[in-house]
Amino acid sequence: MAGRPPLRPTAGTGDADDLARLDAAARHPSMLARVVAGVFTPANVVLAVMAYVALRHSSSAVEAFGWWALTLVLVVGVPYGILFRALRVGRVDDRQVVRRSQRPWLFVMALVCVVLALGVLAVADAPREVVVLVVSMAAGLVAMSVVTLVTKASMHLAVASGAVAVVLVEQPGVGAALALLLVPIGWARWRDGRHSVGQIVLGAVIGGVASWAVYGALR
């Protein structure tokens, strides 16, 4: 937020460019960019696409709500709880984890939560499409975890692009329309100094390809 002390790079982490870009953007903050990023935060997008798939492939709205609630707890709630705990103890600097060096272990924890959710869904005999959606989330997290060891990619764009890919498989026309939202989301992350254009494009490619390949092949 504006007025905060600038974050300083830690030697050997390779975070200097990301921190410099964030500090430069903080001098001229954009409320619109922050609103757009807030609306399309990964948690919101995950819950939206799970609701969409669950409603389309469950026998009732009550059943769909059950699968959605499970996602809320295991795929969103627990990982965010881990993140907030890391913030409290100083293991990460901010909620969006600007430092790439602080991201890998968080991605691994999120992947563990997704795998746990996958196991629960399989045992509970969830609809195939719901299970495959969570498999595609796991695939995207694996890809992001590996890439993050080398460079930084936008998680906002990875999740948003992955969700668009799922809708494209289900309803191509609707998915194509939703793909237009990737532009303002990418702009918001760039304008807020969170990512370079390259990191935004990389995140979108990772999320979109992972979801398209896995969800499209297995549903």
Side-chain angles (χ1 to χ4, degrees):
M1 58 187 295
R4 63 164 176 76
L7 299 174
R8 301 301 180 190
T10 302
T13 62
D15 295 325
D17 289 345
D18 290 325
L19 297 180
R21 180 175 56 252
L22 181 63
D23 288 336
R27 299 189 192 106
H28 304 282
S30 167
M31 182 58 68
L32 177 59
R34 295 190 179 183
V35 169
V36 171
V39 170
F40 294 101
T41 191
N44 290 346
V45 175
V46 166
L47 292 176
V49 73
M50 174 56 76
Y52 168 79
V53 172
L55 284 169
R56 280 180 63 83
H57 297 287
S58 297
S59 59
S60 69
V62 173
E63 179 189 342
F65 177 78
W67 307 131
W68 180 88
L70 177 63
T71 306
L72 172 64
V73 173
L74 294 180
V75 180
V76 175
V78 176
Y80 269 79
I82 294 171
L83 171 60
F84 293 146
R85 172 63 180 170
L87 277 167
R88 287 180 58 189
V89 301
R91 193 166 182 182
V92 299
D93 292 318
D94 69 326
R95 185 170 58 85
Q96 299 186 49
V97 196
V98 64
R99 296 183 191 269
R100 179 180 63 85
S101 55
Q102 295 175 345
R103 289 184 164 209
W105 75 274
L106 282 172
F107 283 163
V108 171
M109 290 298 99
L111 180 59
V112 169
C113 294
V114 170
V115 171
L116 176 60
L118 182 59
V120 174
L121 288 169
V123 170
D125 197 27
R128 178 181 178 85
E129 290 81 3
V130 170
V131 174
V132 172
L133 174 61
V134 178
V135 172
S136 71
M137 291 178 186
L141 274 170
V142 169
M144 285 291 287
S145 299
V146 172
V147 168
T148 299
L149 296 175
V150 180
T151 188
K152 187 176 174 184
S154 171
M155 193 65 177
H156 269 70
L157 268 295
V159 174
S161 180
V164 167
V166 168
V167 180
L168 275 169
V169 172
E170 291 279 346
Q171 295 177 287
V174 176
L178 289 177
L180 298 175
L181 292 173
L182 297 178
V183 175
I185 298 171
W187 169 82
R189 303 308 283 159
W190 169 81
R191 178 62 181 80
D192 210 24
R194 292 289 172 176
H195 292 288
S196 67
V197 173
Q199 292 168 353
I200 288 166
V201 172
L202 180 59
V205 170
I206 292 171
V209 170
S211 286
W212 179 267
V214 175
Y215 193 81
L218 298 181
R219 67 182 283 272

